[in-house]
Amino acid sequence: MRYRKRNQDGSLGEWVYTPAGEAERQQKEDQQKEIEALREEMAQWKKNQKEVGGNDVV
């Protein structure tokens, strides 16, 4: 979870994460990296399939 930290004058400051929120944010970043790696792998696989010219399932 994240929340807005208050400045000394009472105005809203920057966004900060609770410890649980920080772990959640890290988990989401890791998931996004994994998804991007899978997309790249799938694009490479499709490219290789086009070069081979086959639609066979291996």
Side-chain angles (χ1 to χ4, degrees):
M1 173 191 266
R2 68 182 198 165
Y3 61 96
R4 294 290 297 264
K5 190 171 164 182
R6 292 273 179 184
N7 294 325
Q8 289 182 354
D9 64 1
S11 64
L12 290 175
E14 61 186 49
W15 286 99
V16 293
Y17 288 91
T18 63
E22 182 64 29
E24 182 181 343
R25 183 189 65 80
Q26 184 64 42
Q27 184 180 23
K28 285 182 181 180
E29 282 183 11
D30 292 344
Q31 288 173 343
Q32 286 300 320
K33 288 178 184 177
E34 186 176 350
I35 288 169
E36 187 58 35
L38 289 171
R39 284 184 179 144
E40 290 175 12
E41 184 179 334
M42 182 58 85
Q44 184 64 36
W45 185 82
K46 286 180 179 179
K47 180 181 173 189
N48 290 340
Q49 286 296 311
K50 286 181 182 177
E51 289 175 1
V52 172
N55 290 330
D56 297 336
V57 176
V58 178

